[in-house]
C-alpha cells in the first residue's frame, strides 16, 4: 500500500468529471487500498478518486467512531433522496482547515458496486448521507466551497493560494 498525494483546492484537476470504473480488477483493488490508507492517515471520513488525481467513479469512506468500517462505492448513483434538507458543517481533505455550512439532502439512497464488484444499495442519513453527497460531488468536479457565497469562496481561494506559496517558500 502507499500514501497518495491529495490535490488541494483550487487545483484545476479537482474540476475534472470522472468516468465510470470499467472493471473492478487488481488495479482498482490497489487504488482502493491506497485511498483508504491515505484517508485514514489524513484523518478524513471520505475520499474520492478525483482527489488523488484518478478520474474514475470511486469513493472510499469511513464514518465510524472506531475507524474500522471502511465503505467502498464504485460507480455510485443516487437512486432516491429525501425532500427535506439540513445544514451541516463540512470540511474536505482537499481544502484543509476550512469548514463551513452546506445544505444537503437529509437522506439519500445510493446504488453502487462494492469492493468485490457486487451491486449494493445503501440508505444513508446523518453524517453518512452528507459524506456520500460530498464525495459524489467530487466525482463531477465539484468541491464543497462551490456552495458558499462568492465572497466566502474567494476568501477560501486566497487563503489556500497563500498557504501553498508559504509552503513552497518553506
Ligand atoms: Ni472533499
Amino acid at each position: 500500500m502507499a500514501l497518495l498525494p491529495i490535490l488541494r483546492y483550487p487545483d484545476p484537476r479537482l474540476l475534472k468529471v470522472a468516468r465510470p470504473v470499467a472493471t473492478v480488477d487488481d488495479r482498482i483493488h490497489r487504488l482502493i487500498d491506497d485511498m483508504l490508507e491515505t484517508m485514514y492517515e489524513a484523518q478524513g471520513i471520505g475520499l474520492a478518486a478525483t482527489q488523488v488525481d484518478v478520474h474514475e467513479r470511486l469513493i472510499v469512506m469511513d464514518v465510524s467512531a472506531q475507524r474500522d468500517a471502511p465503505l467502498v462505492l464504485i460507480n455510485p448513483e443516487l437512486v432516491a433522496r429525501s425532500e427535506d434538507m439540513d445544514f451541516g458543517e463540512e470540511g474536505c481533505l482537499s481544502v484543509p482547515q476550512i469548514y463551513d455550512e452546506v445544505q444537503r439532502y437529509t437522506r439519500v439512497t445510493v446504488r453502487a458496486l462494492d469492493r468485490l464488484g457486487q451491486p449494493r444499495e445503501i440508505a444513508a442519513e446523518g453524517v453518512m448521507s452528507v459524506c456520500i453527497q460530498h464525495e459524489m460531488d467530487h466525482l463531477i468536479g465539484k468541491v464543497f466551497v462551490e456552495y458558499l457565497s462568492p465572497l466566502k469562496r474567494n476568501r477560501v481561494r486566497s487563503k489556500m493560494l497563500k498557504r501553498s506559496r508559504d509552503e513552497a517558500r518553506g
Side-chain angles (χ1 to χ4, degrees):
M1 298 214 278
L3 290 177
L4 305 169
I6 299 174
L7 300 178
R8 293 256 194 110
Y9 183 84
D11 191 309
R13 290 171 290 180
L14 287 169
L15 302 174
K16 287 193 189 178
V17 176
R19 62 183 182 278
V21 170
T23 327
V24 183
D25 53 13
D26 287 351
R27 179 184 67 92
I28 292 296
H29 286 148
R30 250 192 321 274
L31 178 59
I32 289 168
D33 290 342
D34 290 347
M35 282 174 61
L36 280 168
E37 191 183 357
T38 303
M39 178 190 78
Y40 285 123
E41 166 75 18
Q43 299 182 336
I45 61 170
L47 186 67
T50 306
Q51 294 176 272
V52 294
D53 201 22
V54 176
H55 302 281
E56 296 177 62
R57 295 184 60 81
L58 168 61
I59 290 167
V60 299
M61 290 172 44
D62 188 341
V63 298
S64 72
Q66 291 79 21
R67 315 288 285 149
D68 59 359
L71 182 66
V72 175
L73 301 179
I74 300 169
N75 297 340
E77 298 296 338
L78 208 61
V79 292
R81 62 192 187 197
S82 58
E83 278 184 24
D84 40 320
M85 301 179 85
D86 290 315
F87 276 101
E89 194 175 68
E90 290 184 29
C92 179
L93 294 177
S94 292
V95 201
Q97 296 163 50
I98 304 284
Y99 302 90
D100 216 319
E101 298 270 308
V102 176
Q103 196 176 26
R104 300 283 188 185
Y105 297 107
T106 308
R107 290 173 303 280
V108 294
T109 304
V110 68
R111 195 176 292 153
L113 301 179
D114 65 14
R115 191 196 161 85
L116 301 173
Q118 299 298 312
R120 39 182 308 199
E121 205 165 279
I122 295 155
E125 57 182 16
V127 178
M128 170 103 89
S129 169
V130 170
C131 191
I132 287 174
Q133 292 171 75
H134 175 118
E135 302 309 332
M136 284 182 72
D137 271 353
H138 277 300
L139 300 179
I140 55 167
K142 194 165 182 180
V143 178
F144 86 99
V145 296
E146 300 308 320
Y147 291 99
L148 308 180
S149 68
L151 182 72
K152 277 189 174 177
R153 192 162 58 237
N154 284 334
R155 213 178 285 155
V156 171
R157 200 188 158 85
S158 317
K159 209 179 277 183
M160 292 295 296
L161 289 171
K162 179 178 185 304
R163 204 184 290 162
S164 46
R165 279 196 306 272
D166 291 349
E167 283 173 6
R169 218 176 281 136

